[in-house]
Amino acid sequence: MDTPAAISGHDPETEALPDVAPQLRELRRGRGLTLEAAAARAGLSPAHLSRLETGRRQPSLPMLLGLARVYGTTVSELLGEEPPERDPVIRAARAEPVEADGWIYRQAGSSSGRAMQPLRVTVPYGAQGDLVRVHPGEEWIHVLQGRLRLGLGDAVHVLDPGDSAHFDSMTPHRLAAVGPDGAELLFVHTLLISPTTELCLPGGAHRR
């Protein structure tokens, strides 16, 4: 699921973010990643990531989502927030929606210290449907509402409400809503850090 590339120009979304520069630098170094390697995996230039780490630029929320995926952590940790006591129950009223590249994500479980990240995802019609995703790990999808088109390699599957899919996410895959009303699904993916976390393919692919 998924990370947009660098966003240039003024972004009012960044004004409310705290100074995350020290945390970004510490997490990258703690993962043993060079500036160039981390930037490539997040879809940023090394110069741009360097500006984020030195506080000369504040990241947008989509950038934070992408960096969290690369570092195998959460946006909360990137922001330097103290992790709350782990609660096995996620209340719907507390699951604040986050939008990135048209998709809307809601937390469906705690990924802090976990090997998986569960999300409730709203997929609007036409959003990200042409993006090819490839990354280490596994994905599990369960459709709640609407219909979802899942491309796995050369095969295409249409999932109806109640249908599920579980696959190796190194298989190139695309996700798209079939109808104009979009689709809603439960989505679980593994959090992995690997030298193969290059998430795009040539010709219109996209980093997540």
Side-chain angles (χ1 to χ4, degrees):
M1 296 174 96
D2 347 232
T3 302
I7 301 174
S8 59
H10 175 70
D11 187 348
E13 215 176 28
T14 66
E15 293 179 353
L17 293 175
D19 181 14
V20 300
Q23 190 73 357
L24 289 176
R25 186 167 53 250
E26 181 180 341
L27 278 171
R28 175 178 61 78
R29 290 175 176 174
R31 296 329 188 242
L33 294 171
T34 65
L35 189 71
E36 291 75 13
R41 296 177 187 185
L44 304 171
S45 69
H48 194 110
L49 182 55
S50 177
R51 287 193 290 270
L52 297 180
E53 290 189 356
T54 55
R56 286 178 289 165
R57 171 149 187 162
Q58 285 286 303
S60 67
L61 182 56
M63 286 181 192
L64 287 176
L65 287 167
L67 289 168
R69 178 69 180 89
V70 170
Y71 299 150
T73 186
T74 64
V75 170
S76 294
E77 185 178 356
L78 287 180
L79 296 176
E81 298 175 0
E82 289 294 325
E85 183 177 349
R86 185 177 293 165
D87 189 341
V89 177
I90 306 299
R91 302 293 180 185
R94 294 160 128 191
E96 294 293 330
V98 173
E99 182 176 350
D101 278 5
W103 287 24
I104 300 171
Y105 304 84
R106 290 176 175 84
Q107 184 182 4
S110 172
S111 59
S112 178
R114 303 290 193 183
M116 301 182 301
Q117 182 176 33
L119 299 165
R120 185 164 180 152
V121 184
T122 300
V123 182
Y125 182 68
Q128 302 189 35
D130 59 342
L131 304 182
V132 180
R133 298 170 170 85
V134 181
H135 54 93
E138 299 179 38
E139 292 190 13
W140 176 84
I141 296 167
H142 179 82
V143 179
L144 299 172
Q145 297 180 28
R147 306 179 77 208
L148 186 77
R149 179 181 295 109
L150 168 64
L152 281 176
D154 295 329
V156 176
H157 310 272
V158 175
L159 307 182
D160 294 311
D163 290 345
S164 301
H166 185 182
F167 54 92
D168 183 337
S169 46
M170 285 301 291
T171 303
H173 52 284
R174 290 184 176 93
L175 300 173
V178 173
D181 293 333
E184 186 169 0
L185 53 108
L186 292 176
F187 174 88
V188 179
H189 69 100
T190 50
L191 293 172
L192 294 175
I193 301 174
S194 164
T196 59
T197 314
E198 296 297 335
L199 306 186
C200 69
L201 296 176
H206 194 74
R207 297 180 191 274
R208 185 158 82 174

